[in-house]
């Protein structure tokens, strides 16, 4: 028996105009980088095919969008840095994220500088969110401290900083031991 829904008609192959519209829709909906937009457009061309007179010039389209200000890798990186500090993630986690997003070294400099300035604030946010160290209700057992230390390390913080937070007494003032 046929389902009540008709089978979806496959999307038409892309051409220059459709590719541009697809890119505009993507950058309008998502904060993205040049590398992510290029990857997305290449995937769409592979999935839907190409119907243009000449081959798709995705690199030129991405460069146009960057020149128009639709994409700004440096702003994207700095926004990620601010978000990571708020969420309590550390420098190593930010560096991995920026690399995965295709951010170049030059565009990552302001974001990395922000993270270096805010590393203590990020660790404090992480400890508060996870109720570790000074934000805990009671002192942790050695096994729990080990788990908390590992969680800090997975969040991208240095071992020394993680150790200071994990081994702080509950209710301790942060300024006293940092």
């Amino acid at each position: 028996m046929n389902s009540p829904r008709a089978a979806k008609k496959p999307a038409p192959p892309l051409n220059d105009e459709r590719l541009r519209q697809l890119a505009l829709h993507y950058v309008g909906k998502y904060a993205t980088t040049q590398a992510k937009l290029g990857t997305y457009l290449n995937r769409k061309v592979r999935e839907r095919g190409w119907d243009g007179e000449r081959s798709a010039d995705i690199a030129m389209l991405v460069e146009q969008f960057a020149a128009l200000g639709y994409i700004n890798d440096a702003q994207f990186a700095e926004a990620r840095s601010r978000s990571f500090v708020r969420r309590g993630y550390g420098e190593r986690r930010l560096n991995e994220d920026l690399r995965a997003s295709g951010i170049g070294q030059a565009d990552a400099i302001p974001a990395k500088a922000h993270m270096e300035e805010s590393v203590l604030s990020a660790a404090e946010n992480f400890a508060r969110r996870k109720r570790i160290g000074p934000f805990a209700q009671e002192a942790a057992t050695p096994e729990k401290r080990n788990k908390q230390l590992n969680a800090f390390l997975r969040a991208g913080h240095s071992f020394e900083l993680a150790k200071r937070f994990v081994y702080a007494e509950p209710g301790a003032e942060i300024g006293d031991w940092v």
Side-chain angles (χ1 to χ4, degrees), residues 8 10 13 46 50 67 93 98 104 106 143 148 178:
K8 273 181 97 172
R46 264 193 329 272
W50 185 252
R93 185 94 176 247
L98 295 179
E143 296 83 29
Q148 291 172 342
V178 174

Side-chain angles (χ1 to χ4, degrees), residues 45-79:
V45 168
R46 264 193 329 272
E47 289 173 357
R48 292 175 56 177
W50 185 252
D51 192 28
E53 297 167 7
R54 58 193 187 298
S55 64
D57 194 356
I58 292 172
M60 183 206 56
L61 184 60
V62 170
E63 286 176 26
Q64 280 180 349
F65 276 40
L68 290 169
Y70 297 161
I71 306 170
N72 187 327
D73 285 358
Q75 283 181 345
F76 178 89
E78 201 160 349

Side-chain angles (χ1 to χ4, degrees), residues 1-168:
M1 200 169 183
N2 291 339
S3 70
R5 290 181 130 182
K8 273 181 97 172
K9 191 170 115 178
L14 295 171
N15 58 25
D16 286 328
E17 182 56 31
R18 286 188 200 120
L19 186 67
R20 185 173 183 76
Q21 291 301 318
L22 195 63
L24 277 171
H25 176 74
Y26 186 78
V27 299
K29 190 171 182 178
Y30 303 106
T32 190
T33 64
Q34 292 180 37
K36 283 184 172 186
L37 178 62
T39 301
Y40 171 76
L41 294 176
N42 277 315
R43 188 182 84 236
K44 288 300 181 180
V45 168
R46 264 193 329 272
E47 289 173 357
R48 292 175 56 177
W50 185 252
D51 192 28
E53 297 167 7
R54 58 193 187 298
S55 64
D57 194 356
I58 292 172
M60 183 206 56
L61 184 60
V62 170
E63 286 176 26
Q64 280 180 349
F65 276 40
L68 290 169
Y70 297 161
I71 306 170
N72 187 327
D73 285 358
Q75 283 181 345
F76 178 89
E78 201 160 349
R80 292 298 281 180
S81 176
R82 292 184 193 290
S83 171
F84 274 40
V85 168
R86 278 191 312 274
R87 291 167 36 203
Y89 293 128
E91 192 172 5
R92 192 178 72 251
R93 185 94 176 247
L94 174 69
N95 292 338
E96 290 171 5
D97 183 74
L98 295 179
R99 184 186 49 75
S101 296
I103 303 290
Q105 290 295 327
D107 290 328
I109 291 172
K112 289 180 179 183
H114 174 262
M115 179 56 82
E116 285 177 20
E117 295 168 2
S118 308
V119 71
L120 187 61
S121 177
E124 183 181 340
N125 290 342
F126 184 78
R128 180 176 282 119
R129 191 166 54 105
K130 298 291 186 176
R131 295 187 178 107
I132 295 174
F135 305 104
Q137 296 295 320
E138 57 188 38
T141 64
E143 296 83 29
K144 189 170 183 178
R145 280 189 173 157
N146 193 27
K147 287 183 179 187
Q148 291 172 342
L149 191 60
N150 285 329
F152 251 99
L153 296 176
R154 282 191 307 273
H157 297 286
S158 71
F159 180 76
E160 292 77 25
L161 186 61
K163 195 165 96 172
R164 281 196 273 172
F165 273 92
V166 169
Y167 286 96

